[in-house]
Amino acid sequence: MDHEQELTPGESLRLIETQQAAAQARIDSNPRHYYLPWGVSLMVGFTTMFLYYGPSPGRPILHMPPWLALGVLFTALIAAGVISVGLEIRNRVEVQGGSADRGMMYGFAWLVGQAGSTAISVHFQSYLPGEQRGLLWATLSLAMVSVLYVAGAAVWRQWSMFALGLGVGVVNVLGMQAGPGWHALLVAVLCGGGFLLAGALAGKGAR
Amino acid sequence: MSGGPFELDPVIHAQARLRVVATLNTLPDGDRIAFPGLRDLLGMTAGNLSVHLSKLEEAGYVAIVKTHKGRTPVTYAALTHRGRSAFEDYTAAIRRLLEAAETGNERP
C-alpha cells in the first residue's frame, strides 16, 4: 500500500519491465500451445497415411484397412485441436474488447474454412478414383490451414505463423503434384517438423 | 521528488499500483481485463487489488465496468486515456532521472 518502501527509478523501471513481460505472456496466445500439439499430430497422422499409401499407387508399406489409417489421422488432428484449445483456455486470462472480438472472428474463420472444404470434398469425391479422393480431402484442408495461418499472422503480426502458413502452402502443392503417398510423407516430415521446430523456437524465446 | 521535470506521479509511484498500471498498460486500447484475471496476474488478494483500483479510479486513471455474464457479476478494468498518458509521463520521468544519474546531474 502507500506505506510501501519507495522505489528508486531503476527499481521502478525493472518492476515495469518484469510485470509487463509476465502480463503479456499470459494475455497473448502462446504459440507453443498450438505448434507442438499440431506438429506431433501432423507427423503421426500423415506418417500413418504414407505407410498406408506407400510411395506409389497400389504399393502400401504397411497393409491396413483404410478406416484404420483415416482413424489414426483424424484422431491425431482432433487430439491436437482439443489439447491446444485446452492449454490456451487454462492459461489465458479473460479480456474483453477488440482483441476478444478478433479472436472470436478468427475462430469462426477456421470453422467456416474447414466446413467449406469438407463440403467441397464430399461433393466432388465421387468423381475421383480411390487414392485421389484422400488427396482431395488432405490438400483442400491443408490449403485452408495455410491461408488461415497467413491471415492469422497478418492479424497478430506474428512472423513464425506467417512462415508456417507459407511453408504448409508450398509443401501442400508440391506434395499434391507428387501423389498421395509423397504428399503424406512431405506433410509429415516438413510440416510436422516445421511446427515442432517453431514450437521449440517459441519456447526458447519465451525463456 | 516534487516539482520540475523530475516529478513522479504519487498515484502511480507506489509499488503495488505501479504493477497494476503497468499490467493494464499492456492491454491494447479498447480492451479490458476481468478482475480475477488481473488478480491472478498480480498475485494480490481481491481486497488489496480493490483498494488500489479504487484509488486509480478516483484519480481518473482506471475505468471499472461492472456487468453480468449470465447471472454471474463480472468486473472489468482498463486504463483510461488519462491513465495511459499518466503512465507514459511516469516512465518518461524515471528514464530522465536515470539518465540524469548516469551523467551525474541528479538533483538531491
Side-chain angles (χ1 to χ4, degrees), chain B residues 12-82:
Chain B
I12 298 179
H13 191 58
Q15 191 167 340
R17 282 199 296 278
L18 178 58
R19 291 180 64 221
V20 174
V21 175
T23 301
L24 292 177
N25 193 59
T26 58
L27 295 174
D29 208 9
D31 277 7
R32 49 195 181 200
I33 186 168
F35 186 87
L38 182 60
R39 191 190 57 203
D40 190 25
L41 284 179
L42 294 163
M44 286 183 185
T45 63
N48 204 0
L49 178 57
S50 291
V51 169
H52 290 301
L53 284 176
S54 298
K55 286 194 178 175
L56 290 165
E57 193 182 19
E58 277 167 28
Y61 291 175
V62 162
I64 305 288
V65 176
K66 289 177 193 274
T67 179
H68 281 80
K69 212 173 181 183
R71 286 186 175 182
T72 315
V74 197
T75 302
Y76 291 98
L79 274 191
T80 59
H81 288 297
R82 188 173 168 191

